[in-house]
């Protein structure tokens, strides 16, 4: 099987975590059974890190011809030391990568590089919370979104910064090999994965968990593991030390959906998965906290699933 290729683009004064987090995800994917070919390129002959560590075995840009099935990840750098003398070299290269259909990603402040190259014009995007305002002000054609782990816009991905490069890399691995494998990689790295390990690519889990509010993550985790119980907003609010009104407002602004709709959608999604696996209607309704087997049966028929009655 031909390895998928990930090309890491290094600016001088690159932030180590922005680079190493994503690198480790793809390295560990290989340890777990799906190896990637990892390449490192730079427009600079001897790029170094913002913390003073230098790099060897970094290839020049013209040594790698980007293909449509490649992933290009541009790691964040110290913007105060960004040398623009090589812009005429790397901008055409990154533009070609995007035009070729490759998946082009930025971690943290590297969103500024994608913006300079014109790749983010008219797109939703994000960067480190400390730079979102500056990114929007310097590039008014962008639609900068705050409080998101990462943002996907066609084949262009931007992540919030530092450790969120790990979340983005896990998402890419999940797109290639499925959520169960991505969960295995996260577990191997001994990190907390913000998505349920059984969620599909278009799952309700993924649609509403790409944010960085730890209190809402805690509520979402609790809901996911207690769908079979009666979930009461006042109890959820007490769990994260806030009022019901505050939680309701914060949940909606953070996730884009209400708590009630989130619970309903999770229950229905899990129920459909279990029914597809051949589980009986009454057991599925009880397991997912859906009070009426009739209601569940109607939902199954609407989605074309043949439900087992007994």
């Amino acid at each position: 099987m031909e390895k998928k290729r990930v090309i890491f683009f290094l600016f001088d004064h690159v932030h180590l975590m922005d680079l190493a987090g994503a690198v480790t995800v793809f390295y560990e994917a290989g340890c777990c059974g799906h190896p990637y070919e990892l390449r490192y390129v730079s427009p600079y002959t001897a790029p170094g890190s913002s913390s003073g560590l230098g790099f060897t075995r970094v290839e020049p840009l013209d040594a790698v011809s980007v293909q449509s099935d490649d992933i290009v990840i541009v790691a964040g750098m110290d913007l105060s030391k960004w040398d623009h003398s090589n812009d005429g070299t790397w901008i055409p290269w990154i533009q070609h990568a995007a035009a070729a259909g490759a998946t082009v990603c930025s971690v943290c402040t590297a969103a500024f590089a994608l913006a300079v190259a014109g790749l983010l014009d008219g797109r939703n995007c994000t960067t480190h919370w400390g730079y979102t305002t500056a990114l929007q002000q310097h590039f008014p054609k962008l639609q900068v979104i705050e409080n998101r782990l990462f943002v996907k816009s066609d084949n262009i991905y931007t992540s919030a910064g530092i450790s969120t490069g790990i979340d983005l890399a896990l998402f890419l691995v999940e797109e290639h090999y499925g959520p169960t494998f991505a969960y295995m990689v996260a577990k191997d790295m001994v990190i907390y994965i913000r998505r349920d390990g059984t969620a599909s690519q278009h799952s309700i889990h993924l649609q509403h968990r790409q944010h960085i509010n730890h209190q809402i993550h805690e509520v979402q985790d609790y809901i996911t593991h207690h769908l079979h119980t009666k979930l009461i907003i006042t109890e959820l609010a007490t769990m994260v030390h806030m009022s019901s009104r505050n939680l309701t407002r914060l949940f909606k602004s953070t996730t884009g959906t209400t708590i009630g709709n989130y619970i309903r959608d999770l229950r229905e999604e899990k129920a459909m998965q279990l029914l597809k696996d051949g589980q009986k209607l009454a057991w599925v309704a009880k397991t997912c906290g859906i009070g009426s087997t009739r209601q569940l049966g109607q939902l199954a028929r609407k989605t074309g699933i043949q439900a087992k009655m007994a």
Side-chain angles (χ1 to χ4, degrees):
M1 180 185 297
E2 186 176 351
K3 294 180 182 178
K4 297 183 183 297
R5 186 166 67 165
V6 186
I7 303 163
F8 291 94
F9 181 109
L10 280 67
F11 280 104
D12 199 13
H13 303 288
V14 65
H15 293 314
L16 285 177
M17 185 62 178
D18 291 358
L19 174 66
V23 168
T24 304
V25 170
F26 293 107
Y27 170 78
E28 291 294 339
C31 297
C32 292
H34 287 296
Y36 286 81
E37 178 188 354
L38 306 183
R39 303 283 290 272
Y40 304 90
V41 301
S42 177
Y44 306 93
T45 55
S49 69
S50 58
S51 54
L53 185 67
F55 299 95
T56 61
R57 299 179 62 183
V58 177
E59 302 175 87
L61 296 178
D62 58 12
V64 179
S65 178
V66 181
Q67 307 299 317
S68 61
D69 54 352
D70 287 334
I71 297 173
V72 176
I73 297 181
V74 186
M77 64 293 196
D78 185 342
L79 291 178
S80 68
K81 298 178 180 178
W82 188 8
D83 177 10
H84 289 273
S85 62
N86 287 325
D87 284 2
T89 301
W90 70 263
I91 288 178
W93 188 90
I94 203 78
Q95 289 174 336
H96 167 76
T103 298
V104 178
C105 310
S106 67
V107 180
C108 197
T109 52
F112 284 82
L114 299 194
V116 167
L119 300 188
L120 301 182
D121 288 354
R123 295 184 184 275
N124 291 337
C125 60
T126 194
T127 187
H128 186 282
W129 63 267
Y131 292 93
T132 52
T133 299
L135 183 63
Q136 186 67 80
Q137 290 176 345
H138 282 85
F139 303 96
K141 293 182 181 179
L142 278 54
Q143 301 295 322
V144 182
I145 300 176
E146 297 182 341
N147 196 33
R148 290 286 296 276
L149 292 173
F150 55 87
V151 174
K152 175 181 179 180
S153 179
D154 298 323
N155 63 320
I156 309 297
Y157 296 68
T158 52
S159 69
I162 311 180
S163 65
T164 60
I166 295 174
D167 294 280
L168 174 56
L170 284 170
F171 183 80
L172 293 170
V173 169
E174 183 174 300
E175 288 191 315
H176 292 154
Y177 299 114
T180 301
F181 182 75
Y183 181 80
M184 183 192 307
V185 173
K187 184 178 180 181
D188 201 54
M189 293 174 64
V190 198
I191 62 171
Y192 172 72
I193 188 167
R194 289 181 170 89
R195 298 176 293 276
D196 183 88
T198 60
S200 67
Q201 178 177 334
H202 301 292
S203 167
I204 188 72
H205 292 273
L206 300 186
Q207 293 174 28
H208 301 294
R209 292 187 68 94
Q210 296 172 18
H211 60 83
I212 55 177
N213 188 295
H214 72 278
Q215 290 174 301
I216 301 303
H217 278 306
E218 186 177 345
V219 170
Q220 289 176 303
D221 288 340
Y222 184 88
I223 290 171
T224 297
H225 294 101
H226 294 83
L227 290 176
H228 60 288
T229 67
K230 185 175 182 180
L231 293 163
I232 302 171
I233 291 180
T234 54
E235 294 178 358
L236 296 174
T238 299
M239 183 177 69
V240 290
H241 311 291
M242 64 175 69
S243 68
S244 300
R245 182 179 179 181
N246 238 4
L247 175 61
T248 300
R249 177 192 58 77
L250 184 61
F251 194 99
K252 176 67 182 294
S253 64
T254 301
T255 67
T257 190
T258 65
I259 297 176
N261 286 344
Y262 184 73
I263 293 171
R264 180 202 64 203
D265 291 345
L266 278 180
R267 282 174 167 159
E268 290 183 355
E269 180 178 83
K270 182 175 181 179
M272 294 306 100
Q273 290 173 346
L274 292 173
L275 290 175
K276 284 179 182 178
D277 290 340
Q279 302 297 335
K280 296 176 183 178
L281 197 68
W283 182 84
V284 171
K286 182 178 180 181
T287 299
C288 298
I290 298 175
S292 168
T293 55
R294 180 181 178 184
Q295 174 190 347
L296 183 55
Q298 290 174 341
L299 180 63
R301 287 191 293 273
K302 184 187 297 185
T303 54
I305 297 175
Q306 187 66 39
K308 285 185 178 180
M309 300 300 294

